[in-house]
Each structure stands twice: as structure tokens, then as C-alpha cells.
């Protein structure tokens, strides 16, 4: 897909400790593969690229006492080179790599949006969908979540152009981001807000599908015990 098209910027699996991140980096680079190490203050990350060219950010959230604040009160998020010695000094960092920890989850998904200055995306994600601002960097980067200043979705306009267009259907492109809501009432409340806003959406028996103003497809479902079941394939 064209870089300027809306869609997936990257996904960020989150490991629980810096030692886990250090073990992954040592393993990955030992294979002769390139990785970019970045310090975001709120987190430390290792960016890698899969064989199809997709960016994956293996990340670890920093302790809250290390966070800094912007003048607007939101957490500082920067992109500075990360000194590997900071990670290597962590207890357990020199242990053998045996795969990512079982508790690794998706820390965030970063989406490319195409409206100038987030002028349309911001009110859609905040006022209609109901997210809260986790952090922001000017009008090119907005992190949203559901409390606790943790951004589970990140919106960026850094690759937008005035002629940005949807990715062609025959290209690798984002098919959807799945999001869980606590209960059926939350799903119907969301449908109501979308209807009031006049925003097209589809409510079915098992969820709600909607595209954001840039065309990124989002799929909301109700969180159930079945969502968390592990399927034994042995």
C-alpha cells in the first residue's frame, strides 16, 4: 500500500519488563537482522520489519515515576535513540531468549489518518467513539485510550499528503482493528452516538463495524469469556 494511504502504521506487542525487551533485542540482532532502538520516555522500544515490510514495535512501558509531563499536562512522548546498556543492566537481561513471554499483548496499534491537523479524526475518536486522550504531540500525533493515560490507539498524520488516497484493493492493506467493549449496552450506546453523528456503521448480532473519517475499518465486539479462551490444538 502507498505510504501516504490511511491504514496500519505499525503494531506494538508489549512485553512486561525491560529484561524481556533486552533478551529479544539480543536474540534478534544476533541473527544479523536490523533493529532500531528508541526511547519514548513513557516506554522503550525495538522497531523491526517483517519480510513483507510491516513495522513491528516490541515495546515495554516505563515505570510511571520516570514519565515526564508536557506543558499541557499530557505525558511526554519523544523518539530518541535508546542506549542498549540501559536495558542490559536489568536483572535477568542476560538470560537465554526463549520466546516472548506468554503474557505479551498488543500494547497499541498505530493508524495513519489523512485529515490535516487531526481536525476530523480527533472529535470522531473522542466525542463519538468515546476514547480519552492519552498523549499528543502537536497536531500530527494523538494517542487515545480508556483511562490511565495508556494509549491503545495512536493516530498519526506524519505520512499524509494532500493527494492521500485509500490503498488499492489488490495491495496489502488494513482489514480491520478489533476492539472490545464491556457489555452489549456499550455496543448499543456506541451505535446511538454514531447515528446521532450521522456516521455510517453496521450493527449486527455480534458487533459493530465502522470506518473512521480516513477510512480505517474498526470492529467493536462485546468482551466475553470466550474471547479469552485458549484453543488447544494438540
Amino acid at each position: 500500500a502507498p505510504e501516504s494511504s490511511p491504514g496500519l502504521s505499525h503494531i506494538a506487542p508489549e512485553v512486561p519488563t525491560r529484561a524481556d525487551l533486552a533478551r529479544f533485542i539480543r536474540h534478534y540482532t544476533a541473527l544479523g537482522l536490523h533493529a532500531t532502538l528508541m526511547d519514548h520516555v513513557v516506554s522503550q522500544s525495538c522497531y523491526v520489519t517483517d519480510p513483507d515490510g510491516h513495522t513491528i514495535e516490541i515495546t515495554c512501558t516505563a515505570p510511571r515515576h520516570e514519565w515526564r509531563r508536557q506543558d499541557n499536562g499530557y505525558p511526554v512522548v519523544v523518539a530518541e535513540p535508546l542506549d542498549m546498556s540501559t536495558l542490559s543492566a536489568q536483572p535477568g537481561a542476560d538470560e537465554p531468549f526463549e520466546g516472548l513471554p506468554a503474557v505479551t499483548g498488543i500494547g497499541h496499534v498505530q493508524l495513519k489518518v489523512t485529515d490535516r491537523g487531526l481536525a476530523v479524526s480527533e472529535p470522531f475518536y473522542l466525542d463519538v467513539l468515546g476514547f480519552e486522550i492519552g498523549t499528543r504531540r502537536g497536531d500530527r500525533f494523538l494517542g487515545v485510550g480508556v483511562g490511565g493515560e495508556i494509549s491503545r490507539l495512536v493516530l498519526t498524520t506524519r505520512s499524509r499528503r494532500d493527494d492521500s488516497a485509500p490503498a488499492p484493493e489488490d495491495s496489502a492493506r488494513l482489514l480491520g482493528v478489533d476492539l472490545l467493549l464491556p457489555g452489549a449496552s456499550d455496543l448499543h450506546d456506541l451505535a446511538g452516538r454514531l447515528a446521532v453523528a450521522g456516521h455510517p456503521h453496521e450493527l449486527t448480532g455480534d458487533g459493530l463495524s465502522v470506518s473512521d473519517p480516513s477510512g480505517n475499518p474498526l470492529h467493536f465486539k462485546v468482551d466475553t469469556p470466550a474471547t479469552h479462551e485458549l484453543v488447544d490444538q494438540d
Side-chain angles (χ1 to χ4, degrees), residues 90-112:
Q90 300 296 311
D94 58 351
E95 295 178 1
F97 178 77
E98 297 180 348
L100 296 177
V103 294
T104 300
I106 298 299
H108 66 267
V109 174
Q110 182 165 297
L111 299 176
K112 296 180 292 181

Side-chain angles (χ1 to χ4, degrees), residues 11-21 23-24 56-61 97-108 152 228 230:
I11 60 171
E14 182 179 357
V15 296
T17 72
R18 288 170 171 165
D20 295 311
L21 182 59
R23 286 192 291 271
F24 170 79
I56 301 170
E57 175 192 358
I58 309 298
T59 188
C60 177
T61 300
F97 178 77
E98 297 180 348
L100 296 177
V103 294
T104 300
I106 298 299
H108 66 267
R152 297 303 184 189
H228 306 282
L230 296 178

Side-chain angles (χ1 to χ4, degrees), residues 106-122:
I106 298 299
H108 66 267
V109 174
Q110 182 165 297
L111 299 176
K112 296 180 292 181
V113 295
T114 56
D115 54 312
R116 187 183 297 275
L118 298 164
V120 179
S121 293
E122 182 170 342

